[in-house]
Amino acid sequence: MPRLEIAADGFRLDDRPFRIISGGLHYFRVHPEQWADRLHKARLLGLNTVETYVPWNLHAPLRGEFRVDGGLDLPLFLDLAAAEGLHVLLRPGPYICAEWEGGGLPSWLLADEDIELRSRDPRYLEAVDDYLESLLAAVGPYLSSRGGPVIAVQLENEYGAYGDDSGYLADLAGLLHRHGVDVPLFTCDQPSDLKRGGLDGVLRTVNFGSRVDAGLAELRTQQPEGPLMCSEFWIGWFDRWGGTHVTRSAEDAAADLDRLLAAGASVNLYMFHGGTNFGFTNGANDKGTYRPTVTSYDYDAPLDEAGDPGPKYRAFREVIARYAPVPDEPLPAPVPKLTETVAELTSCAGLLDQIELLGGPAVHADRPVTMEQLGQSFGFVLYETTLPDAGRTVLRVEEVRDRAQVFVDGQPVGVLDRENHEHALTFLAPRPGAHLAVLVENQGRVNYGRAMHDRKGLLGAVTANGLVLVDWYSRSLPMDDPSAPSYTALDPSAPPVGPAFHRGHVDIAQPADGFIALDGWTKGLVWINGFALGRYWSRGPQTTLYVPAPVLRAGRNEITVLELHGSTTRAVELRGTPDLGPVED
């Protein structure tokens, strides 16, 4: 593969002028059996490059581990990109934002109570050093200097929106070079952050979704010569629970893409294909109010969540064809979809009755122990103690991260929600010594800004009528194995009280992409054949979850729903079309 050069007048590849026309495609948001399809459609759009982040937290779920298997087989993804004739922009972080859980930083970093993320804190840099050593051992052979498709590597990510320590950026650059990165490095920032987020000697690029001329002008102010590049051209946006489905018209986005390319700039479409926040991997924002991101990362991109071309695909292809060769091949056709099928969920297992099967041993302490101190990344923590008195009780918690369901002697008495700034709950305790259980859901660690030091669980003291409660048992519940509970036949006349797993089966003649609708269900998580599709919530906007064809099989398929509250139905429906919710006017 030819090497990318940064010249005063632009990029050069194999000593010829080169324009990067790239699209975001995050391998970890796409089923691995669909990577080749998405990459092929990237080439058909006219892209010569794809961009991907690398989620440190998935590759290193525990300190000292590093995985590149299954859906994390980044070397395979890079092989497939090269086979399609695509270059790659690799964005290893260590912080990626990406509306991803914790911005991609592993939760175990937060077990140190005073660690400073994205800084020269020696504990942080030591962990980053270990990560980059493992990552580059796996992907170093894919650098273009060694014949691979990776033509450039990002140094940090929108750092100017977080800090201004050029020494920290220099440390990161040193680590990357020490571990073998010898292709160009680049930074990316929004226009107002370009000065703070850059490092002398490293290419600056800019992120924006509109005001093209102003964004490129600010980049030229901060970088008088060299290539002009928009590393994140935002052609859509992400959604949050309780909001609307955000869209951007194809005509508007295509017009700004035309302005970018007419200015001679290189571009990375963010996103070309958004994909899905499978399982518990969605992030959150907190600018005074906590806002968790939904499961879908459709992003109103040229390829929708199922990989089908939408209106932006054709519009962008027409624009790109004015400036670069576009394959003389037909537009990709939509993939086959499931027909409507109803599945009855006929067995169940109460969550609170299955604790010993679902989690590790409880940790005993005077105060609740955080999820990170328990060595856990995703899922729930169950906190248990006893109440000293009977009668009216005001339970007060310093911090709930993020949503706590409260039970007294097994009966639900209320919810404390971080998003609503709720810290206190009033109920009647039936007796002295009543059992208090608090089930806390991690709804996604904050992925942007200073609030990303986002430890989960019950933080600080918990009081009942002003008395500090002690003698706590904290238990990790990662909820990563829906087969662990012991299921029994569901009795419609006596549905389970509180959170419960519901299981059923559906026969499918031919696996195909589809969507599962949760009409009548309240809040929880869905698995098909053990694959975690993601969270659902009746507050919307999305009311269906994407089902990739590779998770299905011909014949019998198992569906499991963890419902945290209750439902008005025992059934779910597989469909051929999504419902991502109402759009903004």
Side-chain angles (χ1 to χ4, degrees):
M1 284 280 187
R3 296 185 63 170
L4 184 72
E5 299 175 20
I6 296 173
D9 59 349
F11 291 117
R12 300 185 72 82
L13 196 69
D14 200 20
D15 204 29
R16 297 178 182 177
F18 180 68
R19 188 205 300 258
I20 296 172
I21 303 178
S22 175
L25 173 56
H26 301 158
Y27 61 97
F28 48 94
R29 282 182 158 128
V30 180
H31 194 284
E33 293 182 34
Q34 297 172 323
W35 290 344
D37 171 78
R38 307 307 193 251
L39 290 164
H40 179 66
K41 290 170 179 173
R43 183 182 65 79
L44 291 185
L45 181 63
L47 305 184
N48 56 33
T49 306
V50 291
E51 164 268 314
T52 186
Y53 282 125
V54 180
W56 180 10
N57 58 353
L58 289 195
H59 285 280
L62 298 174
R63 190 187 294 268
E65 287 190 1
F66 193 81
R67 298 177 48 204
V68 283
D69 59 335
L72 297 174
D73 192 345
L74 178 54
L76 173 60
F77 179 82
L78 297 175
D79 278 332
L80 292 171
E84 199 63 51
L86 295 166
H87 306 293
V88 176
L89 300 176
L90 192 68
R91 305 173 77 185
Y95 162 76
I96 64 172
C97 185
E99 292 73 58
W100 187 255
E101 224 270 352
L105 298 176
S107 62
W108 45 259
L109 289 170
L110 296 174
D112 289 328
E113 291 189 6
D114 60 347
I115 194 170
E116 284 295 325
L117 305 176
R118 304 178 74 188
S119 79
R120 303 183 85 177
D121 185 324
R123 295 165 296 180
Y124 177 70
L125 287 179
E126 181 182 1
V128 172
D129 189 9
D130 290 344
Y131 159 59
L132 292 177
E133 180 179 21
S134 297
L135 175 65
L136 269 301
V139 303
Y142 294 88
L143 299 174
S144 60
S145 56
R146 304 182 203 177
V150 177
I151 57 173
V153 173
Q154 182 173 287
L155 173 68
E156 247 275 6
N157 185 65
E158 291 193 325
Y159 178 67
Y162 185 86
D164 59 1
D165 184 357
S166 60
Y168 162 64
L169 295 179
D171 287 346
L172 283 184
L175 291 176
L176 286 166
H177 289 145
R178 183 158 66 83
H179 292 303
V181 174
D182 55 1
V183 298
L185 300 179
F186 65 97
T187 59
C188 72
D189 287 281
Q190 297 177 46
S192 61
D193 300 324
L194 280 164
K195 184 176 183 179
R196 292 187 298 276
L199 180 67
D200 290 345
V202 172
L203 179 71
R204 284 175 165 89
T205 68
V206 65
N207 297 346
F208 53 72
S210 60
R211 302 185 66 238
V212 173
D213 294 341
L216 294 179
E218 183 59 29
L219 176 59
R220 188 51 81 210
T221 297
Q222 298 299 327
Q223 187 168 260
E225 62 178 28
L228 287 172
M229 180 164 181
C230 179
S231 280
E232 290 186 15
F233 173 47
W234 304 319
I235 54 81
W237 207 243
F238 59 93
D239 296 341
R240 66 173 179 86
W241 292 114
T244 56
H245 176 45
V246 183
T247 61
R248 181 182 182 184
S249 76
E251 294 76 15
D252 180 64
D256 274 341
L257 176 60
D258 196 24
R259 292 184 184 96
L260 258 171
L261 297 179
S266 290
V267 66
N268 177 58
L269 306 175
Y270 195 96
M271 298 288 297
F272 160 66
H273 172 55
T276 309
N277 297 315
F278 293 118
F280 295 105
T281 57
N282 64 278
N285 284 281
D286 191 342
K287 299 177 181 179
T289 297
Y290 175 79
R291 304 287 196 193
T293 303
V294 304
T295 298
S296 172
Y297 202 65
D298 176 271
Y299 217 87
D300 197 32
L303 281 192
D304 67 16
E305 195 172 5
D308 289 338
K312 289 189 177 80
Y313 194 96
R314 181 184 295 274
F316 287 6
R317 197 174 192 236
E318 291 174 357
V319 170
I320 292 169
R322 298 170 197 157
Y323 302 93
V326 171
D328 185 18
E329 300 178 43
L331 288 171
V335 299
K337 301 295 191 303
L338 294 173
T339 57
E340 290 189 6
T341 306
V342 174
E344 294 287 336
L345 307 187
T346 56
S347 60
C348 68
L351 187 152
L352 296 178
D353 300 329
Q354 305 279 328
I355 294 305
E356 299 294 335
L357 299 175
L358 291 169
V363 174
H364 186 218
D366 287 339
R367 287 191 176 187
V369 178
T370 67
M371 181 177 281
E372 294 73 23
Q373 291 168 332
L374 291 171
Q376 178 186 353
S377 295
F378 309 122
F380 298 74
V381 177
L382 181 68
Y383 298 101
E384 298 175 281
T385 188
T386 56
L387 295 169
D389 301 308
R392 183 179 184 272
T393 301
V394 179
L395 186 75
R396 186 173 295 276
V397 181
E398 284 189 31
E399 289 288 341
V400 175
R401 303 282 182 86
D402 301 305
R403 192 170 186 270
Q405 295 174 250
V406 183
F407 306 86
V408 176
D409 281 349
Q411 297 298 310
V413 296
V415 174
L416 295 174
D417 195 321
R418 174 182 180 181
E419 185 173 355
N420 296 330
H421 304 280
E422 294 170 342
H423 298 274
L425 184 67
T426 301
F427 53 83
L428 292 176
R431 59 185 177 86
H435 178 256
L436 174 69
V438 184
L439 181 68
V440 181
E441 179 186 3
N442 166 8
Q443 293 191 126
R445 288 183 180 84
V446 171
N447 57 257
Y448 187 85
R450 287 286 170 179
M452 67 192 314
H453 292 75
D454 189 13
R455 295 166 178 87
K456 298 302 189 182
L458 298 181
L459 277 60
V462 181
T463 63
N465 294 335
L467 178 68
V468 176
L469 298 178
V470 293
D471 198 27
W472 286 93
Y473 291 86
S474 306
R475 189 187 301 267
S476 168
L477 297 174
M479 304 296 189
D480 53 4
D481 183 7
S483 67
S486 178
Y487 290 84
T488 58
L490 177 65
D491 181 356
S493 65
V497 175
F501 292 88
H502 301 258
R503 187 172 67 185
H505 298 87
V506 61
D507 288 327
I508 295 174
Q510 179 63 48
D513 277 7
F515 303 86
I516 189 166
L518 282 302
D519 299 346
W521 299 82
T522 304
K523 188 181 196 299
L525 191 82
V526 182
W527 294 261
I528 291 188
N529 296 327
F531 183 91
L533 299 180
R535 307 179 206 254
Y536 67 90
W537 200 349
S538 59
R539 71 186 295 204
Q542 75 174 107
T543 63
T544 59
L545 298 178
Y546 172 56
V547 181
V551 311
L552 299 172
R553 47 183 175 246
R556 195 181 196 210
N557 293 264
E558 182 178 86
I559 300 176
T560 306
V561 174
L562 170 59
E563 169 56 51
L564 297 174
H565 295 281
S567 66
T568 59
T569 179
R570 297 171 55 191
V572 296
E573 184 179 49
L574 292 170
R575 299 176 179 172
T577 55
D579 183 354
L580 297 180
V583 300
E584 294 177 332
D585 294 332

